[in-house]
Amino acid sequence: MIDIAQQLAAIHRAVGNRTLDESDVVAVTLRREYEAEIADVWDAVTDPDRVRRWFLPLSGDLREGGAFQLEGNAGGDILTCQAPRLLKVTFGGPVSLVTLTLTEGGKPETTVLELDHTVPKEMAGSGAGALYVGPGWDGAFLGLALYLAGERTEDPVAAANSTEGQTFSLGSVRAWEQIVRESGTATEEELAAAVEVSLAQFAPALQDPKS
């Protein structure tokens, strides 16, 4: 059993509007500290044999200038790969960018991982679009934390779809809802619609008491 409240609280979340290459985007940012050295965290997020153990099968020409594909998810081009600190890729489109930044944490042998995902405004609609991607990245951050702590699973996707995994996702959706509301980047109507879609995607088997 995982401590769901603790795992949710370990992730810092933010959302905001930006302009990228003259395109309006919604930027979704997550940050978490891991109890592992920076080289180990980098390896865990870039080595296909390790990525599949906590996230999804990963394939492609995995080098700067190459391309990648996550099984059943997005693929893209590898724009920057500077081990062990910076990875920038396109994620399903040219202005849908995912940037991973790794820095040493505040204690020895800890690492801060920051993920920044820009989503085109025409797809996100508003800051409420964070609900379409944020809970999924929360789940990935959880999977990585459990993996680095030695809690391995044979099937990360099945774990995410379990009752415990969906309970975490339910809490994640509500956390992102609050972040978006505080950011002022969406109307209440936009936010309510995005929450409904997000709950159906990430926690379809649960009855949300706030619904």
Side-chain angles (χ1 to χ4, degrees):
M1 296 287 291
I2 64 173
D3 187 330
I4 291 176
Q6 181 184 57
Q7 294 292 343
L8 287 168
I11 303 171
H12 170 82
R13 304 168 183 84
V15 61
N17 294 317
R18 290 186 202 159
T19 300
L20 180 65
D21 294 334
E22 300 184 352
S23 297
D24 292 331
V25 299
V26 173
V28 177
T29 305
L30 301 86
R31 186 169 62 251
R32 176 171 180 158
E33 186 170 85
Y34 293 94
E35 294 187 2
E37 294 183 344
I38 192 168
D40 188 32
V41 178
W42 174 267
D43 191 63
V45 300
T46 57
D47 182 336
D49 288 338
R50 299 187 72 186
V51 172
R52 68 180 177 83
R53 297 179 184 278
W54 60 269
F55 190 35
L56 293 167
L58 171 66
S59 61
D61 182 13
L62 304 179
R63 58 175 179 82
E64 189 168 308
F68 75 96
Q69 180 64 51
L70 288 165
E71 185 176 297
N73 203 295
D77 299 322
I78 302 172
L79 305 178
T80 305
C81 184
Q82 299 175 359
R85 298 187 179 276
L86 180 63
L87 178 67
K88 180 181 290 187
V89 302
T90 61
F91 202 77
V95 293
S96 177
L97 301 179
V98 170
T99 303
L100 295 178
T101 306
L102 288 74
T103 56
E104 283 85 0
K107 298 179 294 182
E109 298 185 357
T110 61
T111 301
V112 175
L113 174 63
E114 181 173 287
L115 182 150
D116 187 80
H117 187 178
T118 58
V119 182
K121 198 69 170 286
E122 60 266 26
M123 293 177 60
S126 68
L131 272 296
Y132 306 143
V133 297
W137 289 127
D138 273 6
F141 269 44
L142 170 64
L144 178 59
L146 297 176
Y147 172 76
L148 291 171
E151 300 181 32
R152 312 295 166 84
T153 177
E154 292 297 319
D155 188 343
V157 174
N161 290 329
S162 68
T163 299
E164 185 176 48
Q166 290 193 48
T167 301
F168 172 86
S169 292
L170 174 59
S172 171
V173 170
R174 290 307 176 187
W176 280 105
E177 178 186 17
Q178 185 62 28
I179 291 297
V180 173
R181 179 174 286 114
E182 292 172 355
S183 75
T185 58
T187 66
E188 284 298 320
E189 291 76 13
E190 290 169 331
L191 188 53
V195 166
E196 183 177 0
V197 171
S198 188
L199 288 172
Q201 178 181 356
F202 296 108
L206 300 184
Q207 178 65 44
D208 181 11
K210 292 187 179 182
S211 297

